[in-house]
Amino acid sequence: MPRRRLYKAQKPLAAVADLSEQSRPTGCDAQKPSGVKECASLSRRSLLNAALFLPAAPLLGCSSSRESNHSEGQEPPPVFAFFTPEERAFVEAATERLIPDEEDGLGARGAGVAVFIDRQLAGSYGRAEHWYMQGPWATGVPEQGYQLKLTPAALYQTATRNVNAWCQKNHGKDFAALPGAVQDDVLHGLESGDIELTDVPAKVFFTMLWNNTVEGFLADPMYGGNRNFAGWKLIGFPGPRYNYSSEIEQYGKPYTLPTVGILGRNGTLLRKG
Amino acid sequence: MANPLKPVDVVLVGFGWTGSILAEQLTQTGLQVLALERGKFRDTVPDFATTQIQDELRYAARDGLFQDTARDTLTFRNSVDQTALPMRHLGSFLPGVGVGGAGVHWNGQLWRFLPEDFVIRSHTEQRYGKGFIPADMTIQDWGITYAELEPHYDTFDYLCGISGAAGNIQGQIQPGGNPFEGPRRRGYPLPPLKRSYPTVLFDKAAKEIGFKPFPCPAANASAAYKNTLDVQMGPCTYCGYCEWFGCGNYSKASPQTTILPVLLERKNFSLRTQCDVTRINLDSTSKRATGVTYVDQQGRQFEQPASLVICCTFAQHNALLLLLSRIGQPYDPKTNTGVVGRNYAYQITSGVDVFLDEIMNPFMGAGALGQAIDEFNGDNFDHGPEGFIGGGYIALWTTGGRPILQHQLPADAPKWGAGWKKAMAENYLKSASIATHGSVMSYRDSYLDLDPTYRDVYGDPLLRLTFDFHPNEIKMSGFLTDKAALIAQAMKPRSFHAIPRIGHYSIVPYQTTHNTGGCAMGADPRTSVVNKYLQSWDVHNVFVMGSSVFPQNAGYNPTGTVAALAYWAADAIKNHYLRSPGPLVHM
Ligand SMILES: Cc1cc2nc3c(=O)[nH]c(=O)nc-3n(C[C@H](O)[C@H](O)[C@H](O)COP(=O)(O)OP(=O)(O)OC[C@H]3O[C@@H](n4cnc5c(N)ncnc54)[C@H](O)[C@@H]3O)c2cc1C
Ligand code: SF4
């Protein structure tokens, strides 16, 4: 039955993800290829990832779990599993405008939203593993939902190229190199569809980017975002707690126990595997 | 060629709520009962343990417990002149997969339909005249009455340990309950859940206006409960990870927490999981089913002979199975003939978001913890001046404050950026939302059939859904939304805004998993697929369960009625069908 948000199409462009398979490299055989070109680039990527990502994921997990006395400022730099440097620069810059850090540090950058999105795209969500990806392909009407042949991973790749090409043409620089105010204008243009991208509908990409940004900000920190519970602390969510029997009738009183995640009170631990 | 297997007496296709009820009922008679379920086995431990289930990303945002659209989905269009396209990932509704079905991840909002709901056409014609029903509206009486179903509603209440306050016991109106409900033989087994702050404010506001609010009936146990099968349930802890998740606490009624501990011990019951039933097989006369064909996890095809086949696959899947198996005449909207796929309906919902001055702690809640009014449901009010048919309840639910998908912001809050962040910080803890939950009538152009183009993993056609909201529903929903806004205002909030349901039905945003119809029940084989005992008119040893048999949808969540109908049908099978197998209703 109803969630409380009834209308805003907050349900992300997403389906079932077996997250235990996150660390599998992206490959053509794992998905319905969305075109030969796409497939070729993904294969190259999977080779890269096989080298880069497989050792990287456990490393990330270890460094923060075994040395849990890391102070918040001294975390190891994130290792990216999926993004090329260009994609990473774009997603970091865009998510930083969508949820700015400001003085409190509680924004997308501090929360590791780009790390979260990177890990999601490297996994079964990125491959649309549980989406129906059979043709024929048609545009349809918005009420019929997502109808692109592109997996989320492929959509990010294509859209990043397209957005940077648009920024180069109109502003002479990649998105990440533009001043914040101009970046905001570009994001508004994508959101409204006023900016037309060469290969993909800008609005569809913006919706996915925004949904993934909110997820990265507010999902359990074990997925790489919401680091140190940045998002949860901002809004006052205490984390998944099991029992409010004695608090639920204390009307108007703040809940005071410290924030926890599924892996406990350390908000930097990553899910293994 | 399919591998033939040892025959059984009864094969149940799908093992969610209705499959579990039928299995428990029919194994009592000593019959050999086999359930075939397309998903995996799962149970409270380890699958719903709180150490892993409270994961909003995995289970809510990524649909961790629901049907895998890569294997099976449907195509959708708003009207016959469009080309239906596949629902590529889930959105508007979330069918379950795996043992327990959607009964694992439902909310537990447990309602009975009103007595008038079962006789909606004759009642409407009588009260408002024949001309009141639009020509393209194909509503019909159910062929069964509330009084016939009442004992079976009661059975389910006591199986689940429902927490609530009765409003009408044997005709006596009870203070604090829903005065509009049909008479019930006795009160609920458990008292209402503890009240959350927003529900208290709703209650006060609704009373000030003159409405009669009451605690919503909940399949979340307010106290420890031993059910009618001697299965022990624990008190709900208001953890707020209820709908879309499994309960780790044995508090939300599900097949796992109410039936399976007893059923799985019965020697004459067997369960095979990861078995996808693709056909009901018929003999050469096409009047009798011989069993079913299914594909197992390794892709092997088997033929399972059975004397009785019962479809328990959830709403639209039942229609699909009948269409693929060529049982009953497929519905054709052009000629208005045929029955299978006819009268698909849904639920129309809207909301009013409310922003208050005090802390509401939205994360404390339960799937069915709510306060409601029922003044505008069914025919509880005079429809004459309003010019529409149907209605719904208005409720403030506090089901949880899971941050990704359950936060609300004032209408003027920026959609992203620094302003969004500030609005989130200021409003998350101080918000609530009132929901309206409206009926949807059936129409000549709202139906299910086989898609001509798209196929599932086995190469079978996908189901095609043609559906849109009609002016009657939009008008009714707007009426409910206005009433909800009145209550919101009386809660004296900082701000509130209505979110009416307007425009075309969209498959994208989640609304409800209250899909109905396609295998309507009724008294006339020309307009129904099954008779009042949920038995196929065409093939007497096939029965169809679930909300697929609703001829149109009422203003309540379906499962109370789905379960009552399952017990009612089980009763007919045990007491009549088994004695002399054949049609239970003769035309
Ligand atoms: C998020 C959510 C919240 C809900 N909240 C409420 C609520 O608060 N109140 C309410 O009244 N209702 C609610 N519902 C609806 C409720 O869950 C259903 O009405 C109920 O589960 C229906 O029972 P069923 O037996 O018809 O289907 P299910 O319980 O879903 O069982 C059907 C089973 O059949 C299996 N199956 C399907 N096809 C095949 C096949 N071909 N071969 C083998 N197996 C197959 C499925 O995998 C599934 O396990 C909710 C549903 C959802 C998804
Ligand atoms: S809210 Fe209650 S019934 Fe629901 S999952 Fe939590 S403990 Fe179980």
Side-chain angles (χ1 to χ4, degrees), chain A residues 1-2, chain B residues 12-20 36-39 42 66-67 72 93-111 242-245 255 275-279 294 311-315 317-318 320-321 367-368 393 397 510 512-515 545-548 556-562:
Chain A
M1 236 289 322
Chain B
L12 301 168
V13 186
F15 194 54
W17 258 135
T18 57
S20 304
L36 296 172
E37 164 57 47
R38 65 177 173 177
R42 40 192 195 166
F66 317 136
Q67 172 174 314
D72 177 26
F93 44 85
L94 305 168
V97 63
V99 166
V104 161
H105 50 76
W106 71 320
N107 292 58
Q109 303 169 351
L110 195 91
W111 300 90
C242 212
E243 79 279 11
W244 304 43
F245 304 84
C275 295
D276 227 325
V277 174
T278 52
R279 290 291 184 282
Y294 70 86
C311 302
C312 306
T313 64
F314 184 78
H317 301 88
N318 286 333
L320 175 65
L321 199 54
Y393 66 71
W397 299 106
Y510 184 72
T512 66
T513 312
H514 305 167
N515 317 72
M545 302 294 128
S547 52
S548 49
Y556 301 98
N557 311 55
T559 309
T561 303
V562 163

Side-chain angles (χ1 to χ4, degrees), chain B residues 99 114 145 150 182 197 217 225 328 347 416 439 488 505:
Chain B
V99 166
L114 295 166
T145 62
E150 201 285 329
Y197 197 15
Y225 180 69
Q347 207 85 69
W416 50 269
S439 57
Y505 167 72

Side-chain angles (χ1 to χ4, degrees), chain A residues 242, chain B residues 219-221 235-242 246-249 251-252 365-367:
Chain A
Y242 160 74
Chain B
N220 315 128
C236 167
T237 58
Y238 307 90
C239 79
Y241 285 80
C242 212
C247 175
N249 206 28
S251 311
K252 177 167 68 174

